[in-house]
Amino acid sequence: MFTRIATIFLLSLSLISCDKNPVTGRSQFMLVSEEKAISASSDAYVQMLAPLDEEGKIDSDPAMAARVHQITAKLIAQAILFRPETEDWDWRVKVIDEPETVNAFCMAGGKMAIYSGLILKLEASDDEIAQVMGHEIAHALSAHTAEQMSIAMATGLVVTTVAITNDHPGVALAGASLAAALAIKLPNSRTAESESDVIGIELAAKAGYDPNAAVSLWRKMAEASGNNSEFDFFSTHPAPNKRMEELGKLVPKMMPYYQQKGPRPVYPLKSGVD
């Protein structure tokens, strides 16, 4: 009986809780607004990284951190051109010193991290790092965190949904932060991944990074994983061969952006976790 009621409840919500992807215009299921997702992600980001910071695992290699910051700053500048209102986001990027972890993420509002293992294990070039971070930034631009949080709350019947609708801010904040952290660990839908592939490769090209690196990056990913389903990045970013083919088809369209003459804008990134 409860399952039937829950199903009816969720179906009803789906009829009234739709929004459009701010970049592509695709209809998205939204129980959580982008504003709430940004607030929750900000809290979750601090909670996730603060213990690692205390252990000395955040930006512990100054040269690697500077390299990532320089690349990401150019990507953010292009992201703002996609969505000018995101200039008001508190964009951050940190390098997490975990050499065995091959992963990266960008939460709602531009809170990013890349694990040192992705750079070291893949021997990633600047162009390839730009493809990774461009792809992650595209998730944020497309409100995928809010979408993932909404799905997690709906399918799990999380108490957060009730807390938010009943205006219990303390409970809502804790639950929303948890949902924001969970959102970046859940597998992305093929639709979300496709959106981020297309937006990400364009961001990177416009920032001055070779779009061919999108293909070489995923080839390295596949080779490094050895088809291991537990490979960190593949747990949230499925990478079939078809994906590399589709990225390859996009390369000729991106080359004019990459070959454009003149300097590229740079966003003034702030330091610190909070």
Side-chain angles (χ1 to χ4, degrees):
M1 182 68 174
F2 174 77
T3 302
R4 183 181 298 175
I5 293 172
T7 301
I8 295 171
F9 172 69
L10 293 176
L11 287 173
S12 299
L13 281 176
S14 69
L15 294 175
I16 62 174
S17 303
C18 289
D19 209 337
K20 289 186 177 182
N21 182 309
V23 179
T24 68
R26 172 179 62 86
S27 180
Q28 293 175 296
F29 172 68
M30 293 293 197
L31 291 177
V32 180
S33 68
E34 186 176 39
E35 291 73 20
K36 283 190 172 70
I38 289 172
S39 176
S41 293
S42 181
D43 293 331
Y45 190 71
V46 173
Q47 292 169 21
M48 290 168 61
L49 297 193
L52 296 170
D53 197 21
E54 291 178 3
E55 295 174 21
K57 290 186 174 182
I58 300 296
D59 289 351
S60 58
D61 182 333
M64 184 181 292
R67 183 184 175 200
V68 169
H69 290 190
Q70 182 181 41
I71 294 167
T72 309
K74 294 179 182 179
L75 295 169
I76 294 170
Q78 295 300 326
I80 291 169
L81 294 178
F82 264 73
R83 288 186 61 190
E85 69 274 21
T86 65
E87 186 173 9
D88 295 330
W89 287 3
D90 185 20
W91 294 90
R92 302 292 176 99
V93 61
K94 311 306 293 180
V95 179
I96 301 174
D97 182 15
E98 290 191 0
E100 296 303 313
T101 302
V102 178
N103 214 343
F105 65 81
C106 182
M107 307 175 86
K111 297 295 194 296
M112 290 173 272
I114 183 171
Y115 291 81
S116 60
L118 189 150
I119 299 170
L120 298 172
K121 282 183 173 292
L122 301 184
E123 298 182 352
S125 66
D126 286 3
D127 294 307
E128 289 166 342
I129 293 172
Q131 297 300 328
V132 172
M133 301 312 293
H135 178 94
E136 297 305 324
I137 288 170
H139 279 305
L141 289 180
S142 296
H144 288 161
T145 299
E147 188 174 23
Q148 285 283 62
M149 287 174 67
S150 299
I151 293 169
M153 289 180 180
T155 56
L157 294 177
V158 185
V159 69
T160 309
T161 305
V162 179
I164 290 174
T165 55
N166 288 341
D167 196 26
H168 297 298
V171 177
L173 179 61
S177 297
L178 179 62
L182 177 63
I184 62 169
K185 297 180 181 180
L186 291 172
N188 295 288
S189 69
R190 287 191 177 185
T191 299
E193 284 298 294
S194 178
E195 287 176 335
S196 292
D197 279 346
V198 174
I199 297 167
I201 194 173
E202 184 171 339
L203 285 174
K206 288 181 174 179
Y209 295 100
D210 188 352
N212 286 291
V215 179
S216 65
L217 168 72
W218 286 105
R219 184 177 295 114
K220 284 185 178 181
M221 287 281 194
E223 291 171 355
S225 72
N227 295 318
N228 183 353
S229 62
E230 296 182 359
F231 193 60
D232 301 283
F233 204 75
F234 287 174
S235 65
T236 51
H237 299 74
N241 289 333
K242 180 70 174 175
R243 179 181 209 149
M244 283 185 272
E245 292 177 16
E246 293 302 319
L247 284 166
K249 291 176 184 177
L250 289 172
V251 170
K253 299 178 183 178
M254 298 298 117
M255 289 305 289
Y257 297 133
Y258 168 57
Q259 294 169 341
Q260 184 178 348
K261 303 298 182 181
R264 314 293 170 124
V266 178
Y267 178 84
L269 269 169
K270 299 176 184 176
S271 60
V273 171
D274 57 1

